[in-house]
Amino acid sequence: MMVISQNFAEFAKFTSNFQGIPNGCHSISLENTGGYSLSGNCNNTCSWAIPSMDNNSKDILSLKIPFLNLFAGDEISLFKLDEQVTPLATITAKTQFVPSFNLPAKTGAYLSVARGNCLRNDTALIARFEIIPVCEKEITQAPRKNTVVSSPNFPDSYPLGVDCNWNISTMGSKSNLHLITFNHLNVSQNHTLTISRVLKGSQTTVNITLGEKNSSLPSDLLVLTPNHVKFYAPFNNIFTVGNGFQLSVTALDCGELYTRESGKIETPSNSSFCVWIIKVPPTSSDSVNIVIFTLTPNEFGENSSIEIHDGGSIRDRPFTNLSGSDIWSRTNELLIVYHPTSDNTEKITVNYKTFSCEPNMQCDNKICMHPEWVCDGFNDCGDYSDEKNCNETRPTPRPTEHPEIQTNGGYLVAIGLGVPAAFILGVCLTFLAFKLKNRSTEVNYAPFPIIEE
């Protein structure tokens, strides 16, 4: 160390204190990427400084700690290197999980490590940083095209301090509408995913926060363009983060959200991709509301241009039989997809109404029990309550079986292999004749393919 003094008067003097720096204890990074490791230095406080790279930059300083080995009494403190040296997070030997951290590159970061009693040859931590672009994107879609939006690092856990913004618009759309489908959502409490311009009465912004108590995926959303998607995960000392979200955003030619108790939907003659969502009131006192609908015409070929999902999302299974009248849903929501081919542009009308299931018509799990479910030999309710008090004793399916949903809510049952073939054939023919007599012929529809950009 060398000290140089200049311009002192004859009797002037100054005092100062100096302290030696333990070897490998303090470090400063002056590049756009770098790392820091700390070994030993017991009973000392060491530091790592990452100063501002550019005061006008919107870039992000991404900090990760891939290796951590702290003893009792060790403590790591992370600060934003602004004028106030704002504290952001504290890590101790009791910390079980350390996420990555995002900070503004224009402020920089400061890491302080206070070491207690330890081994002189141990490695306490290894940390790395890099400067990455700001989490912000402008997306312009063509009609009928699909864009996937996901949180940083997805499917791995997202960083703390993340503040992402996506502005999504459509080029040449007739309706300026988007369909947003949630493919995955695992967002910790106090971390929010906000979607603006949602078609839901007068409400134009939806804040979606999922914590430990709610892990189900929301229904699909119809939103006006341009719309704004924002994901915000502020710093906290709990270090609870999920692995984030993934959304599919599809531009539509037409669509609408129906919240009235009854209504009629007619397919347009000049649109090639439309989505309508029917969402009637969910309950009324002790009753459970569902949707009953009828299509005109009510007979469709294999290349039908309409598909109706039994629920409020394209994730939900489509009805496999759309013939007949008064088709019952399982919930208070339906999602209708209209995607005609060049040789199939027939006009289709959907008439719907709300039906209230009173308590005496409900399954034990509060699902509305369809009349044809009662004692039909299938676990239509999902909890076997539709097969209670039946005259015929029927075998209980194994819990591991996952039968497919049919239009009327029926399920497929496997027949044991130990029965002779002739007897099996006879049983099958008799069963088939009975079912054909009581149920409409089913038409299978392939799930609607997501159109990739």
Side-chain angles (χ1 to χ4, degrees):
M1 179 180 69
M2 178 175 63
V3 177
I4 300 177
S5 61
Q6 294 178 331
N7 301 322
F8 275 80
E10 182 176 357
F11 299 105
K13 65 178 181 178
F14 75 94
T15 60
S16 62
N17 295 317
F18 302 96
Q19 182 178 358
I21 298 176
N23 183 38
C25 188
H26 300 278
S27 179
I28 184 170
S29 296
L30 300 176
E31 303 294 333
N32 285 341
T33 182
Y36 175 67
S37 63
L38 179 63
S39 298
N41 288 295
C42 302
N43 300 308
N44 284 292
T45 298
C46 303
S47 65
W48 179 34
I50 309 171
S52 170
M53 302 297 169
D54 184 350
N55 289 330
N56 296 319
S57 174
K58 290 185 177 181
D59 290 342
I60 299 298
L61 190 160
S62 174
L63 176 65
K64 299 178 181 179
I65 304 178
F67 179 84
L68 192 63
N69 180 31
L70 299 183
F71 288 80
D74 292 346
E75 184 175 279
I76 300 175
S77 300
L78 175 64
F79 302 86
K80 185 188 296 184
L81 202 54
D82 52 9
E83 292 183 1
Q84 297 76 26
V85 192
T86 305
L88 297 176
T90 301
I91 305 168
T92 67
K94 295 182 179 180
T95 304
Q96 297 181 351
F97 170 75
V98 179
S100 54
F101 304 99
N102 278 9
L103 299 88
K106 64 181 180 182
T107 62
Y110 182 79
L111 200 69
S112 174
V113 186
R115 300 229 63 192
N117 294 323
C118 61
L119 301 176
R120 283 292 173 181
N121 58 352
D122 74 307
T123 298
L125 83 154
I126 297 175
R128 300 189 182 96
F129 86 96
E130 61 178 334
I131 304 299
I132 60 176
V134 64
C135 189
E136 189 173 288
K137 193 171 184 180
E138 300 286 336
I139 300 173
T140 302
Q141 288 182 284
R144 301 174 298 281
K145 296 297 183 181
N146 174 269
T147 297
V148 175
V149 176
S150 57
S151 53
N153 300 338
F154 183 82
D156 294 331
S157 58
Y158 53 84
L160 279 179
V162 68
D163 187 357
C164 294
N165 296 273
W166 297 267
N167 294 306
I168 309 173
S169 59
T170 303
M171 176 179 59
S173 170
K174 301 175 184 177
S175 66
N176 290 323
L177 272 178
H178 280 149
L179 175 70
I180 294 184
T181 301
F182 296 82
N183 301 326
H184 184 88
L185 185 57
N186 180 11
V187 178
S188 296
Q189 292 177 343
N190 301 320
H191 299 165
T192 57
L193 174 64
T194 303
I195 300 174
S196 68
R197 308 201 72 191
V198 177
L199 293 185
K200 191 177 181 181
S202 60
Q203 184 179 357
T204 58
T205 301
V206 172
N207 289 326
I208 300 166
T209 304
L210 289 187
E212 297 176 357
K213 296 182 180 179
N214 188 357
S215 58
S216 60
L217 290 173
S219 298
D220 291 1
L221 300 175
L222 285 173
V223 298
L224 288 169
T225 64
N227 59 77
H228 181 73
V229 177
K230 179 182 179 65
F231 181 50
Y232 180 54
F235 277 89
N236 59 64
N237 275 325
I238 304 175
F239 294 161
T240 54
V241 296
N243 63 341
F245 68 90
Q246 185 187 75
L247 308 176
S248 290
V249 185
T250 307
L252 306 177
D253 287 327
C254 64
E256 190 172 343
L257 172 65
Y258 288 81
T259 57
R260 299 183 295 272
E261 292 189 355
S262 63
K264 180 172 71 172
I265 301 171
E266 294 182 330
T267 58
S269 57
N270 57 350
S271 296
S272 60
F273 183 36
C274 304
V275 171
W276 299 278
I277 296 177
I278 298 173
K279 188 172 184 177
V280 303
T283 59
S284 175
S285 64
D286 293 331
S287 64
V288 174
N289 288 347
I290 63 169
V291 183
I292 294 181
F293 67 95
T294 301
L295 272 70
T296 306
N298 60 5
E299 295 292 339
F300 300 94
E302 293 183 359
N303 297 320
S304 174
S305 57
I306 197 165
E307 183 175 278
I308 301 182
H309 293 259
D310 192 3
S313 174
I314 206 168
R315 301 183 311 267
D316 296 312
R317 295 186 181 185
F319 289 90
T320 56
N321 183 3
L322 294 174
S323 61
S325 61
D326 289 352
I327 303 173
W328 290 30
S329 70
R330 281 179 170 262
T331 69
N332 66 313
E333 295 184 77
L334 291 177
L335 186 142
I336 303 172
V337 177
Y338 177 65
H339 185 56
T341 58
S342 58
D343 58 346
N344 187 355
T345 57
E346 60 181 335
K347 189 176 185 64
I348 302 173
T349 301
V350 181
N351 289 282
Y352 78 91
K353 59 185 177 181
T354 302
F355 178 76
S356 293
C357 259
E358 299 300 327
N360 61 345
M361 295 182 60
Q362 298 173 18
C363 305
D364 290 348
N365 57 14
K366 305 302 181 183
I367 292 177
C368 181
M369 188 182 298
H370 299 197
E372 65 269 24
W373 291 1
V374 180
C375 295
D376 66 347
F378 301 113
N379 177 25
D380 302 292
C381 285
D383 61 1
Y384 307 106
S385 55
D386 53 312
E387 299 303 307
K388 284 184 177 180
N389 304 319
C390 296
N391 293 330
E392 183 180 353
T393 303
R394 304 180 186 275
T396 301
R398 292 176 298 174
T400 54
E401 293 180 352
H402 300 283
E404 294 188 1
I405 296 176
Q406 306 298 318
T407 301
N408 49 21
Y411 293 100
L412 300 178
V413 178
I415 299 177
L417 297 178
V419 184
F423 179 74
I424 291 175
L425 179 60
V427 171
C428 289
L429 291 176
T430 303
F431 180 79
L432 179 60
F434 175 80
K435 299 305 286 184
L436 290 176
K437 180 180 178 180
N438 290 279
R439 301 191 182 190
S440 302
T441 304
E442 295 182 349
V443 180
N444 291 321
Y445 290 85
F448 181 78
I450 292 294
I451 306 172
E452 297 293 344
E453 186 174 17

